[in-house]
Amino acid sequence: MAPVAVGDTLPDGTLAHFDEQDQLQQVSIHSLAAGKKVVIVGVPGAFTPTCSLKHVPGFIERAEELKSKGVAEILCISVNDPFVMKAWAKTYPENKHVKFLADGSATYTHALGLELDLNDKGLGTRSRRFALLVDDLKVKAANLEQGGEFTVSSVDEILKAL
């Protein structure tokens, strides 16, 4: 399947997260993105070095700037279970705006065409690193990394697209 691209309609899918009352919830991507400008950040794995030290912190640190430019939601997706995503989110106590969503079986990652085969490293199917800017379900920017690179999916690149 071809990777999601500029001009595409964002596919719908169901992801999991823990709400403010610590209850496990299922949420539709379309319910979070319809009629809004959203940023979707995809990472290969929670707690991994580049994801934890560079990629996600940029979106947390500059969330207010994104919001000031009309971004309603900042969604971080990883092929991990919701318990791992909850634990990872807790490592960012300063976070007020980034929602951590679990794609445990990589179903949504496959729908985006952004799966990354890391079986040779014992990690199974993961997500490519990416950042999407979506406006009312239409992809306006699709910053997709190759392999483990971190060159085009930073918060700076998304801010340039706004």
Side-chain angles (χ1 to χ4, degrees), residues 11-72:
D12 200 6
T14 302
L15 300 172
H17 72 103
F18 282 90
D19 66 16
E20 294 78 20
Q21 289 74 42
D22 206 29
Q23 298 298 306
L24 184 60
Q25 301 292 330
Q26 301 291 319
V27 65
S28 143
I29 286 290
H30 278 196
S31 74
L32 295 173
K36 303 176 195 168
K37 192 178 291 183
V38 300
V39 172
I40 303 173
V41 181
V43 297
F47 295 106
T48 56
T50 303
C51 305
S52 294
L53 301 175
K54 297 178 184 171
H55 200 192
V56 171
F59 286 92
I60 291 171
E61 290 161 12
R62 301 195 55 198
E64 293 290 343
E65 191 174 347
L66 290 164
K67 294 276 188 178
S68 76
K69 293 183 178 282
V71 173

Side-chain angles (χ1 to χ4, degrees), residues 4-16:
V4 66
V6 172
D8 288 354
T9 297
L10 189 70
D12 200 6
T14 302
L15 300 172

Side-chain angles (χ1 to χ4, degrees), residues 114-132:
L114 296 176
E115 58 277 357
L116 177 64
D117 183 349
L118 293 177
N119 281 301
D120 61 333
K121 293 183 169 66
L123 299 173
T125 299
R126 296 296 180 122
S127 171
R128 287 171 57 185
R129 185 181 317 283
F130 67 87
L132 302 176

